Amino acid sequence: MLKKVGLHIRWNDRILDVPEQAEKLDLNSFQCFITCQTTGKIASPCQKDIVLFNKLSEKFNRRYAHCSYWVNLAKKLRSGTRMLEKEINAAEKLGFTHLILHPGSFKGSASKEEAAKLFARRLNPILKNLDSIKIVLENIAHGSENLGGEISDFKLIFEHIKYPEKIEVCLDTAHAHVYGYDLLSDEGFSNFLREVKKNIGISKIALIHLNDTFEARGSKIDKHCGLGLGELGYECLNKIIQNPLLQNIPLLLELPVLEPEEEKEILKRVRGFLNKE
Ligand SMILES: [Zn+2]
C-alpha cells in the first residue's frame, strides 16, 4: 500500500472545507485549528454540518485538531484551561481523533518542576473525562519559561499524569532544530533520538510534524518554511523519516501559505521518499 502523509489545513468561516480539501489532496490524515485563527472564534457548526463533517472525515484514519496557542496550562494566570475544555468539546463533536497541545509558557511558576506539576494538575481532570480523543503533546521551539522545548520536559510532565494512556507525543522537526537539537549531523541526530527514547519512549510518539525552517539552530524562532528549502533540507528530513525507529510513525506537514502547485509538489516529493523501494 502506498504510504501517505497528512497536512495542516487552514479554514476561514467553514471548518467543512478541511476534510474536503484533504480529500482533494489525497491525504491520509488532516490537522486544523479548532478555533479559527483569523476570527478567534471556536468552530461551532450546526447539527447538520456536524453530521456532514463526520461523514466527510470518516475515510481519514487520523483527524488532528490543533489547540490554540493561548492555552498554556502551566502558566499561573490566564492558563486557558476553560478554552481547552471548549476546544475539546467541539473537537469531540466533530469526530477528531487527537488534539495537539503545546505544553507552552509557565510564566509565574518558580521552576520547571513546579510548572510540570501544575500542567498535569490542570490536565488530569480533563483527561479523566476524555474518551474518544487523545491528547498529543508537542515539542515546542521556545526555551525560557517554557515547557516542552527540552525533550526531558516530557518526562517531568508524565511523572504527574494520572492517565498516561490518554496522552501521546508529537515530534516537530523544525521546533527541535530551532530549540537547539542537532538533527543534521548523524551524531547529533543519534543523541536526539537517545533523548526521545530515554524521556518519552518511541512507542509514545504518535506523530511527526515534518517541518523545515529558515531559522538557525538554537534561535528559538518558530517559523516554518517550504519543506526542503530550509536549514534541515530534504536530505536531513528524509534521514529522519527513514530511520528504522521512526519509519512507521505517521507524518504530517505544517506548511506556510504557499501556492497550491508548490504544496502539491512538496507532497509529491515526500510521498516519493516514503515509497522508494
Ligand atoms: Zn508542529
Side-chain angles (χ1 to χ4, degrees):
M1 204 176 77
L2 277 182
K3 280 197 191 166
K4 293 183 180 180
V5 290
L7 184 70
H8 178 87
I9 295 174
R10 293 174 180 82
W11 59 280
N12 246 325
D13 298 326
R14 202 175 164 264
I15 200 166
L16 278 172
D17 291 344
V18 174
E20 283 174 2
Q21 179 71 359
E23 162 113 61
K24 269 189 217 150
L25 292 168
D26 193 26
L27 306 173
N28 70 341
S29 64
F30 61 79
Q31 175 185 293
C32 65
F33 283 109
I34 204 76
T35 292
C36 178
Q37 297 297 290
T38 41
T39 62
K41 284 193 191 135
I42 193 158
S44 53
C46 62
Q47 193 51 37
K48 191 174 126 260
D49 283 356
I50 289 174
V51 172
L52 193 53
F53 189 94
N54 276 280
K55 176 121 198 64
L56 290 168
S57 306
E58 64 193 8
K59 56 176 78 71
F60 303 96
N61 57 352
R62 286 162 167 253
R63 307 177 289 275
Y64 304 97
H66 200 301
C67 188
S68 296
Y69 295 128
W70 46 86
V71 173
N72 292 279
L73 294 188
K75 229 167 133 182
K76 270 259 151 84
L77 303 171
R78 291 194 292 279
S79 64
T81 307
R82 188 74 198 100
M83 176 92 192
L84 174 63
E85 286 169 341
K86 282 186 190 164
E87 291 201 358
I88 289 173
N89 194 270
E92 282 187 320
K93 276 190 200 152
L94 290 164
F96 282 90
T97 55
H98 298 76
L99 184 115
I100 314 267
L101 177 67
H102 289 196
S105 164
F106 64 78
K107 222 169 172 207
S109 288
S111 65
K112 257 193 186 176
E113 286 70 19
E114 194 188 295
K117 227 186 256 180
L118 180 59
F119 182 88
R121 197 163 68 220
R122 288 189 173 134
L123 191 57
N124 280 329
I126 294 175
L127 291 174
K128 189 178 176 206
N129 296 318
L130 277 190
D131 39 32
S132 64
I133 204 165
K134 280 200 170 165
I135 300 290
V136 182
L137 302 181
E138 177 177 359
N139 70 310
I140 62 169
H142 306 296
S144 84
E145 290 197 289
N146 270 275
L147 262 184
E150 196 77 37
I151 294 299
S152 57
D153 293 354
F154 292 91
K155 189 165 191 243
L156 289 180
I157 294 172
F158 272 105
E159 277 169 11
H160 303 287
I161 291 290
K162 287 191 186 149
Y163 310 92
E165 70 285 0
K166 296 185 181 186
I167 294 205
E168 295 177 326
V169 175
C170 165
L171 292 178
D172 186 306
T173 53
H175 293 171
H177 172 76
V178 298
Y179 181 78
Y181 288 102
D182 172 16
L183 307 182
L184 285 156
S185 78
D186 288 345
E187 197 195 339
F189 182 54
S190 299
N191 289 338
F192 174 72
L193 275 183
R194 201 171 309 128
E195 281 296 293
V196 172
K197 278 194 272 183
K198 191 171 87 186
N199 295 295
I200 303 170
I202 300 292
S203 62
K204 269 276 172 220
I205 310 296
L207 176 68
I208 293 174
H209 273 170
L210 192 70
N211 293 324
D212 205 348
T213 177
F214 291 130
E215 307 302 332
R217 175 151 78 93
S219 65
K220 313 273 197 293
I221 299 170
D222 187 1
K223 204 166 171 214
H224 301 174
C225 71
L227 209 71
L229 302 173
E231 290 244 324
L232 294 174
Y234 276 126
E235 198 184 321
C236 172
L237 294 165
N238 191 26
K239 172 183 77 179
I240 294 171
I241 62 181
Q242 305 288 354
N243 183 279
L245 284 176
L246 307 179
Q247 65 185 354
N248 292 320
I249 299 173
L251 300 176
L252 187 133
L253 318 183
E254 296 178 311
L255 298 172
V257 177
L258 299 172
E259 292 299 325
E261 281 314 308
E262 282 176 281
E263 203 171 80
K264 277 187 198 150
E265 202 44 50
I266 288 171
L267 285 169
K268 197 173 143 195
R269 188 91 186 245
V270 176
R271 285 176 183 134
F273 286 140
L274 289 175
N275 294 297
K276 213 162 33 199
E277 285 307 316

